[in-house]
Amino acid sequence: MVLRKQLGPSGIEIPEIGLGTWHYSGGPEPLRCGFEAGAWFIDTAESYGSETVVAEAIAGVRDRVFLATKVSRQNLRRSSLLEAADRSLRQLRTNHIDLYQIHQPNDDIPIEETMGAMEELVDAGKIRFIGVSNFSVRQLQQAQAALQRHSIVSNQVRYNLIDRTIEADLLPYCAANKITVIAYSPLGRELQRLRDADPSGVLQQVAAKTGRSVPQIALNWCLRQREVVVIPKGSSITHVRDLCGGSGWRLEPPELRLLDERIRFRRRSRWELALRRAVPRGFGKVLQPIVRRLPSGIRRRLQ
Ligand SMILES: NC(=O)c1ccc[n+]([C@@H]2O[C@H](COP(=O)([O-])OP(=O)(O)OC[C@H]3O[C@@H](n4cnc5c(N)ncnc54)[C@H](OP(=O)(O)O)[C@@H]3O)[C@@H](O)[C@H]2O)c1
């Protein structure tokens, strides 16, 4: 059974495990199996190319699904944003989106213009709730201040056992301001990355002790935070069923302590985050061959 959590200040609850669909290749069946297991929450984006498979998966059960999608950062001007929302509605074959998220901030476009367009969409009944993604505390504050009638209910950001950057300031800020954190890449984007950061094998030990799988341990670790829900991606029925078993129970304090103590993680500093934001988009790919030659400790910080 997938437990539910409050969605920010919205007054509604959503499943604490949702189904991610970035680079998703599984067709509608695994997603439907996720619904059957209680994960009635699905995350897509106009840029993922998965809105059409999501439409297939939700056909006939739309009313039960909490449907989240995202507008890309190049579409944050009012007219582009309104057009993008209409395009997503058509692709998803629905008359409303439950959670419409700004995929990434864009400092070149006034936030007042973007948030004004988001509010128009709520008022028109095309979206129910406004969310953001990859926003820092400062960007969240500016976005919230630009809203007149509605609130930001969520911020979708990377959070997992090996990247705990948000624990420094974003997570406490969201907790204090009733903003749900939707944790993306909760399995570290590839399970092997978690294993590489676990030299003493505690993930396997805790999995054996609790009778759970390693992915379930990784998800449940994120879910120990009251305001966090997770959106792992599984492309097969087996993987999705396994992921849904990450909810419905809780790791005990000694197990959490062991994971906290033994798994190597990073918390990016402010300057590191600022540097990453300053690197022009697309330039990261050019740097990849150089980064791959660096010692693993430095490489992990940069990737
Ligand atoms: N807002 C953003 O900027 C942003 C950025 C990244 C991701 N996201 C969202 O977050 C979602 C999840 O993140 P993610 O796709 O980066 O990575 P993730 O969920 O951390 O990891 C996905 C990987 O784990 C594997 N996996 C899943 N279940 C497994 C299982 N039971 N056993 C073994 N391996 C398993 C998947 O394999 P298979 O595919 O073979 O099942 C895939 O290789 C995305 O799909 C997307 O919706 C958002």
Side-chain angles (χ1 to χ4, degrees):
M1 187 199 38
V2 176
L3 300 176
R4 299 173 85 88
K5 283 185 175 174
Q6 286 288 334
L7 174 68
S10 70
I12 71 154
E13 290 189 335
I14 59 168
E16 67 179 11
I17 295 187
L19 307 168
T21 61
W22 182 42
H23 292 157
Y24 177 76
S25 57
E29 263 327 299
L31 301 173
R32 290 208 190 109
C33 283
F35 298 155
E36 275 166 32
W40 290 99
F41 167 19
I42 196 157
D43 178 74
T44 178
E46 61 168 334
S47 63
Y48 291 175
S50 58
E51 286 183 330
T52 46
V53 70
V54 169
E56 285 178 59
I58 64 175
V61 289
R62 170 68 189 95
D63 291 349
R64 297 190 66 183
V65 179
F66 185 81
L67 177 60
T69 191
K70 308 183 197 84
V71 53
S72 303
R73 72 186 293 280
Q74 69 273 17
N75 289 334
L76 300 186
R77 286 274 176 204
R78 177 180 175 274
S79 59
S80 310
L81 191 145
L82 299 180
E83 279 167 22
D86 282 338
R87 232 176 6 251
S88 284
L89 286 167
R90 277 196 303 276
Q91 297 257 44
L92 291 161
R93 285 187 248 137
T94 184
N95 61 6
H96 74 279
I97 293 159
D98 293 297
L99 179 65
Y100 201 41
Q101 304 157 102
I102 296 171
H103 206 147
Q104 273 127 9
N106 184 343
D107 288 339
D108 296 336
I109 298 175
I111 191 70
E112 292 76 15
E113 178 174 341
T114 304
M115 299 321 270
M118 294 293 265
E119 290 196 301
E120 278 185 54
L121 288 170
V122 179
D123 295 340
K126 293 185 177 184
I127 69 173
R128 284 175 74 198
F129 301 111
I130 299 171
V132 296
S133 175
N134 298 302
F135 273 44
S136 65
V137 169
R138 182 185 58 83
Q139 289 162 333
L140 255 181
Q141 287 166 331
Q142 288 170 344
Q144 186 61 59
L147 285 169
Q148 312 279 326
R149 305 177 291 287
H150 303 287
S151 301
I152 291 170
V153 298
S154 60
N155 188 11
Q156 185 176 134
V157 287
R158 188 187 296 129
Y159 185 51
N160 55 48
L161 272 160
I162 57 172
D163 190 335
R164 300 174 57 171
T165 302
I166 65 163
E167 289 177 1
D169 60 357
L170 191 67
L171 194 56
Y173 178 82
C174 289
N177 290 277
K178 275 187 112 176
I179 295 171
T180 294
V181 170
I182 302 180
Y184 73 65
S185 304
L187 304 174
R189 227 164 67 201
E190 288 164 27
L191 216 48
Q192 191 54 42
R193 288 185 178 204
L194 301 187
R195 295 205 168 100
D196 290 346
D198 176 22
S200 54
V202 283
L203 268 167
Q204 197 53 55
Q205 283 168 37
V206 174
K209 184 168 168 245
T210 53
R212 311 283 174 177
S213 69
V214 167
Q216 290 171 355
I217 300 297
L219 299 183
N220 205 270
W221 177 88
C222 298
L223 294 172
R224 80 202 190 288
Q225 306 277 3
R226 197 169 41 96
E227 51 287 326
V228 172
V229 300
V230 292
I231 48 164
K233 188 261 300 190
S235 304
S236 62
I237 290 175
T238 317
H239 277 182
V240 170
R241 284 208 177 117
D242 184 43
L243 295 171
C244 292
S247 176
W249 57 283
R250 287 290 181 255
L251 285 161
E252 296 293 335
E255 294 149 5
L256 290 170
R257 245 192 325 274
L258 201 60
L259 295 166
D260 284 340
E261 281 167 11
R262 300 279 184 82
I263 295 186
R264 289 197 304 245
F265 64 89
R266 70 175 165 210
R267 231 178 241 145
R268 291 186 208 276
S269 62
R270 269 168 215 221
W271 70 263
E272 225 181 309
L273 292 172
L275 186 68
R276 288 174 70 83
R277 275 197 279 272
V279 172
R281 299 186 75 72
F283 196 61
K285 282 207 180 92
V286 180
L287 292 177
Q288 278 301 328
I290 303 164
V291 171
R292 271 199 288 274
R293 288 199 184 86
L294 297 171
S296 64
I298 301 174
R299 203 170 58 227
R300 260 205 318 279
R301 295 188 77 77
L302 295 172
Q303 282 176 329

